[in-house]
Amino acid sequence: MSWFSKLLLPGRLRTGPTALLPARPDPKTLLAVAQLADPEARTDGDDILAGGSRIQPPVELTADVLAKLGVPDDDGLWACRIAAEGPLPVDFFDKSLAEGIAYRLGGWSLCQGEPLDPAEDAGDPLVYLPAVPEPEEILPVLSEALRHAEAVDAERWPEGELIEGVVHVPVRGGRVADVYAGADVLVTIEEGHRLPPAAQTRWPYLTEIAIARVSPVTRTEEPEGEDADLADGPAEGVPDADAAPGPLDAASGTDADTDAGSDTDAGSDAEDVPSGNDAEGADEVRAALLVRAAVAVTLANALRGIAADSRGFQLAEPADVLPGGYA
C-alpha cells in the first residue's frame, strides 16, 4: 500500500461500515459468514458481493492507523470495509453486514467513526415467515417451545387469553399482528416487512413477509404507538448502534470525578478485575439468548420459515446465535 493510500485509509474506513477483526479471515470463512446473511453471496475477484454490498478484502491496520480511527488496540487489527454497490442497500444492510461479520469473527464494527462491539448486545432472534401464522397454527408450537405462563397479566394484556400455557394477545393494529407470551419469552408477530436477502432467496415471488421477534418477556416495553412503527427488515430491528455504549465509552468512564485520588486508583483496579457476579450475569445472559434462539429455530422448522439473528444472519441451530462462532 502506498504512503498516499495509507493517509486516505482512515477516512475511507470511517465513512463506510467496516468489520475490524483480530486476525486475517480466511477467504472461504468470510464467504461462508456472508452467505449466512445472503445465501447467494459470491466472490468477485478479491471481493465478496452480498445483498447489494461489496465486502472488500481485509487490510491490516497498524497501531498508528487505529489511533487515527480512535480504536484503542495496540496489537493491530484487520479491516474489511463494506461498500454499497450502486444505491444504498435496503434497510442499511451494509451496516448490519459489517456488524454480523464482526460478531461471528470476534471483532468490532466501525460505522461513521464509532467503534462498536456487537457481542455486547446480540439483539433478539427473528423468524422470517411468508405470512402471519394463524393462532391455531402457531399456538401448539409455542406451547411446546415456551415455559408456560401461569396466568394472564390483566394490567399489561387486558385482552390476553391463556391457551395451553401461552398468553395470546391479538393486536391487529399497525404493524404488530399478534403477541404470544410464555413465562419468560415474548413472541411478537410483525407483518409488512420488506424482504431481506435470505428471505428473498427463499421466496422470490413475495413482495413482503412477516417477522416473529423473540424477546425477553420482562423487557421494558415501548408505548404501543411506537411498537406499531417498528422498523422494516432485520437490520432496522438491530439495537441502535449510536445509542449503545461502544468500547470507547467504557474507556472514557475512567475519568469520573472523585474526592480522593487514592480511593479512585483502588476502585479503578478493582473494577478491572471481573467479579463473580459479572461472570454469573454473563452466563445468565448467554443462557437466556440460547433459550430465545431455540424458540426461533423451533418456530422456523415448524412453520417453514427462516431463523435469523437480529442482524439477519441465518441460524441453523441455537448455538449459532453466540458470538465468535467462526473465529
Side-chain angles (χ1 to χ4, degrees):
M1 182 185 298
S2 69
W3 67 270
F4 187 64
S5 296
K6 287 184 178 180
L7 289 176
L8 295 178
L9 180 62
R12 290 204 305 268
L13 295 181
R14 282 197 191 99
T15 56
T18 300
L20 301 176
L21 309 173
R24 182 186 181 96
D26 176 77
K28 292 183 178 179
T29 300
L30 190 58
L31 177 61
V33 172
Q35 287 174 338
L36 295 176
D38 178 9
E40 295 184 345
R42 58 181 177 83
T43 57
D44 182 36
D46 293 333
D47 298 343
I48 294 174
L49 296 179
S53 298
R54 182 177 292 272
I55 305 171
Q56 298 179 350
V59 175
E60 187 174 14
L61 304 182
T62 56
D64 58 333
V65 175
L66 289 172
K68 293 178 181 178
L69 292 171
V71 180
D73 195 304
D74 296 329
D75 299 328
L77 295 171
W78 290 82
C80 289
R81 184 170 181 267
I82 316 297
E85 282 283 284
L88 287 176
V90 173
D91 298 329
F92 304 99
F93 180 74
D94 54 344
K95 181 175 181 291
S96 63
L97 189 61
E99 291 182 4
I101 291 172
Y103 186 81
R104 277 159 180 75
L105 294 175
W108 290 358
S109 69
L110 182 69
C111 187
Q112 296 180 345
E114 181 177 359
L116 169 72
D117 183 359
E120 290 185 352
D121 192 342
D124 295 329
L126 309 171
V127 183
Y128 302 142
L129 300 167
V132 174
E134 295 297 329
E136 55 268 22
E137 183 181 9
I138 191 174
L139 276 169
V141 181
L142 292 177
S143 181
E144 294 290 332
L146 301 183
R147 193 163 66 88
H148 286 183
E150 296 181 358
V152 177
D153 185 343
E155 182 178 352
R156 186 177 186 185
W157 296 307
E159 297 182 1
E161 180 184 5
L162 185 63
I163 304 173
E164 297 182 1
V166 179
V167 178
H168 173 218
V169 185
V171 181
R172 303 297 176 185
R175 179 154 293 167
V176 177
D178 288 291
V179 173
Y180 301 91
D184 46 19
V185 173
L186 190 72
V187 178
T188 306
I189 310 294
E190 306 161 13
E191 58 185 343
H193 287 264
R194 291 190 292 269
L195 274 72
Q200 193 168 19
T201 301
R202 173 79 69 86
W203 305 298
Y205 50 87
L206 295 180
T207 57
E208 60 182 36
I209 60 170
I211 288 181
R213 194 178 303 274
V214 186
S215 58
V217 76
T218 55
R219 178 178 297 165
T220 302
E221 295 291 320
E222 296 292 337
E224 192 168 312
E226 294 184 19
D227 284 343
D229 293 328
L230 287 168
D232 286 333
E236 294 183 15
V238 179
D240 188 358
D242 295 331
L248 295 184
D249 294 331
S252 63
T254 60
D255 294 331
D257 294 333
T258 56
D259 295 331
S262 59
D263 292 342
T264 302
D265 293 339
S268 177
D269 292 339
E271 289 175 2
D272 290 338
V273 180
S275 68
N277 290 338
D278 290 341
E280 183 178 346
D283 289 342
E284 290 178 357
V285 170
R286 177 188 175 102
L289 179 59
L290 283 171
V291 167
R292 301 201 305 276
V295 172
V297 171
T298 298
L299 279 175
N301 291 337
L303 302 178
R304 297 179 297 279
I306 301 171
D309 67 8
S310 62
R311 298 172 176 92
F313 285 64
Q314 295 179 81
L315 307 175
E317 55 187 43
D320 292 342
V321 79
L322 297 175
Y326 282 72

